[in-house]
Amino acid sequence: MLSILGLLLFIFGVIVLIVGLINVFRKSKSAPFFLGGIILFAAGSVLLYIVGSTAENKKTKTSSSETQRTFSSESINGNSSTVENTQNSSQSYEQKKTIDLTSHSDYQFTGMANIKPTKAIVDSGKLTFYFDWRNDDGIADERSFNGSGVTIVLYQNGVELPQLDDSYSGTAQYIEKNTSLEINYDYSLIDESPVTVKMLPLEGEEQEFTFEI
């Protein structure tokens, strides 16, 4: 509304100003008429300036608001993406799954034991490592895995995994020479990084292998 009023005053002022100038050149007594034209011209100009400034300020505020909304939206999306990636990463060793380890060869410890990895089960941050142990002890007719002379330790990134209760692992069960028994150990996982299994005999060289979880 102000812009229309300002425009009309501006146009009317220009007309009055022109008529006043013509009368001045004709040496007519039109000073008041000429002065009125100047006033109308100035008033119209001021109104147009005010309207233009107001519109520009509104445009600037609108642009700034839209920029902030866009930035906020991108920030939220970015945070959502970060959370989603973190959740996906943790799910890799939190969700239950079975890992086939039969592709690994037998590990022979002469005069003590033969160890054949079979599988690993990952569930809720816990890993259960399964292997078949054959009693190769050349002295005793019967032996438990605890007495075989071989210790098994698991690592992630060079850090030893804490072993959980092994009461039902089968390590204390005695079996005859040249017979086999399935043994399982439970461990708490640190993260989703690969697991290294080290088999440490009382005598001879240690052996190891690594698998992904």
Side-chain angles (χ1 to χ4, degrees):
M1 189 70 176
L2 286 175
S3 60
I4 297 174
L5 180 59
L7 182 60
L8 291 175
L9 287 175
F10 180 78
I11 295 172
F12 188 66
V14 170
I15 294 172
V16 173
L17 186 60
I18 292 172
V19 172
L21 284 173
I22 293 172
N23 290 333
V24 168
F25 285 121
R26 291 179 177 177
K27 296 181 180 181
S28 173
K29 295 179 181 181
S30 56
F33 191 78
F34 178 68
L35 181 60
I38 293 176
I39 293 172
L40 290 174
F41 176 78
S45 299
V46 170
L47 281 174
L48 286 176
Y49 174 77
I50 292 172
V51 172
S53 298
T54 303
E56 184 65 26
N57 289 336
K58 287 183 179 179
K59 182 178 179 181
T60 302
K61 290 181 180 179
T62 301
S63 177
S64 176
S65 177
E66 289 178 353
T67 301
Q68 290 178 353
R69 286 198 296 269
T70 301
F71 178 76
S72 298
S73 177
E74 290 176 351
S75 299
I76 292 172
N77 291 337
N79 291 337
S80 298
S81 178
T82 301
V83 171
E84 183 178 353
N85 290 337
T86 302
Q87 290 175 344
N88 289 339
S89 177
S90 64
Q91 285 175 354
S92 64
Y93 69 101
E94 290 293 339
Q95 293 182 344
K96 186 173 183 179
K97 61 180 176 179
T98 301
I99 303 167
D100 184 12
L101 300 177
T102 55
S103 60
H104 296 277
S105 60
D106 291 20
Y107 295 91
Q108 180 67 47
F109 299 92
T110 304
M112 290 181 284
N114 178 282
I115 295 175
K116 172 62 178 175
T118 57
K119 64 183 177 181
I121 296 179
V122 176
D123 187 17
S124 301
K126 183 184 77 173
L127 180 142
T128 304
F129 171 57
Y130 292 82
F131 61 94
D132 289 334
W133 160 62
R134 188 179 70 217
N135 178 15
D136 286 351
D137 196 313
I139 299 176
D141 289 335
E142 291 189 352
R143 180 76 72 181
S144 69
F145 183 73
N146 286 336
S148 68
V150 180
T151 302
I152 293 181
V153 185
L154 271 61
Y155 296 85
Q156 280 186 307
N157 295 321
V159 179
E160 182 177 341
L161 298 182
Q163 184 176 337
L164 305 178
D165 181 25
D166 64 351
S167 301
Y168 302 98
S169 63
T171 56
Q173 182 176 339
Y174 282 77
I175 60 173
E176 295 181 355
K177 181 181 178 180
N178 296 326
T179 61
S180 298
L181 176 69
E182 183 181 68
I183 307 291
N184 63 82
Y185 283 133
D186 292 329
Y187 300 88
S188 292
L189 291 169
I190 298 173
D191 53 27
E192 73 278 9
S193 60
V195 174
T196 297
V197 179
K198 288 189 177 183
M199 293 156 283
L200 314 172
L202 289 176
E203 298 179 359
E205 296 183 357
E206 66 180 55
Q207 300 189 59
E208 67 177 62
F209 68 94
T210 300
F211 63 90
E212 303 281 343
I213 61 174

